[in-house]
Amino acid sequence: MTGEGLRVLVTAGSSRFAALVVTALERRDDVATVIAVDDRAPGAPFARAEFVRLGAGLTQLPRIVRGAAVDVLVDVRAAAAIAPLDERRITGHAAVTERVSAACIESGSPVRRLVTVGSVHRHGWDRDLPAFLTEEIEPPANPRGGLARALAEIERSALATRARRPEVAVTTVRLADPVGPAGSGILQAADRLPLLPTVLGFDPPVQVVHEEDAAAAVAHVVGERLDGPFLVAADGTLALSEALQILGRAHAPVLPPWGTAVIAGVLSRAGLGGAHEIAGQLRRGRGIDNRRLKATGFSYRATSREALLTASGVRRRRRVLHPGVPAPYEPEVEAFLRYSPSARTGDGASSAPDEDGIGALEGDALLLLLPSLDPEALRALRAHEEAGPGRRRVLDEIDLLLHRT
């Protein structure tokens, strides 16, 4: 590895979750370079990371890895697909998985660590599994359900990479369902259905993680050079009914308890990806041990309850405000406006930031200031932020602090 800091490449760079991971990596002093790749453009520009748009299957990925002397390859495809329940995108992973492996094992590859970011859905939800998950519990070799099988194949490919090139360390991160404005997993199902059918006589435990905590955990694993498997979940569990109540989503215990096939059929007909896994989660649920990651110095900003409360507040505001659809980020347009000699500043819009007021503070500086404010000041600042810069991270942090008080 280079003395100037880690050089990190992140896959699925157009996804919301990858953007959060990139942002968390950009903040670390021990990360010198961050490169995001995907076959689609991201929704917004990065602060200092570079985005490279590759063709379908990421066939040029090994060349990018060699050319940028990448130390750490962070593969977040699985987590990025699970957040919006895009089962088709994760089950169609074979070509990209092959390119990720090739980028790590080919002769002269600079990669020294492969970090695979997946989900606790890798373990499945069968009745033979324990009700409390730890890193020592091996996931099933042949899991049921398309989502769990795809996750298993991606993890097996990573382990095969290490077998073929032992000097490459492999880290596996399995996330509880990340929650945020877009929802995830069982909570995404509740958002998509007017009434979520649940199982008669069952109110399983739900443990989630705030999406920014999940991204920060991935960046922590990269920066601290941690090996092996890590479970990422916020402190605390809630009953499913309680989680749905926080989110303001209706449910009805109308499904029979004698098998997940009936439940999966109902969810599948509703157009939900990962129906088999969600059906098992609706019936059984599971607690997740997060102590191993915390023992390395990582701390979660939000508990499961706080993550759900924050997500609930964001969704209510969106339903009321109807903010509309922003113009998509086009890398070619951004490059022209930044670097072309033909581009001119002005035309009714200044490229310089406002010098006065709280809006002049960088987001990170403002986040450090927030815990020192009382609730009245936080509410006033929130109104100012929403009417002005509207930075999502700042608004979510204020909401989290207000919920705690």
Side-chain angles (χ1 to χ4, degrees), residues 131-145:
F132 196 72
L133 195 62
T134 68
E135 283 88 355
E136 286 70 34
I137 297 172
E138 288 291 332
N142 298 300
R144 302 175 185 176

Side-chain angles (χ1 to χ4, degrees), residues 62-213:
R63 290 188 62 196
I64 295 293
V65 167
R66 289 195 310 271
V70 170
D71 303 311
V72 184
L73 199 161
V74 183
D75 187 10
V76 303
R77 289 174 296 139
I82 285 175
L85 283 179
D86 189 350
E87 184 177 14
R88 183 179 63 178
R89 191 161 178 83
I90 188 175
T91 53
H93 66 87
V96 177
T97 299
E98 181 180 343
R99 295 300 174 186
V100 169
S101 178
C104 295
I105 65 177
E106 68 175 12
S107 177
S109 171
V111 175
R112 294 295 176 266
R113 180 176 302 278
L114 172 60
V115 179
T116 300
V117 187
S119 167
V120 296
H121 285 284
R122 164 68 182 91
H123 288 263
W125 304 90
D126 292 342
R127 62 186 177 188
D128 297 332
L129 292 168
F132 196 72
L133 195 62
T134 68
E135 283 88 355
E136 286 70 34
I137 297 172
E138 288 291 332
N142 298 300
R144 302 175 185 176
L147 197 62
R149 284 197 296 269
L151 289 166
E153 289 168 11
I154 290 173
E155 288 190 10
R156 276 196 287 265
S157 175
L159 295 176
T161 296
R162 185 178 61 186
R164 295 181 62 181
R165 190 162 173 249
E167 61 267 34
V168 176
V170 173
T171 308
T172 303
V173 179
R174 299 186 186 118
L175 306 176
D177 284 341
V179 296
S184 184
I186 196 170
L187 306 174
Q188 183 90 323
D191 274 350
R192 292 195 191 179
L193 297 172
L195 184 72
L196 179 69
T198 54
V199 183
L200 283 166
F202 289 77
D203 198 5
V206 173
Q207 192 168 352
V208 298
V209 62
H210 193 284
E211 61 181 5
E212 291 196 8
D213 276 344

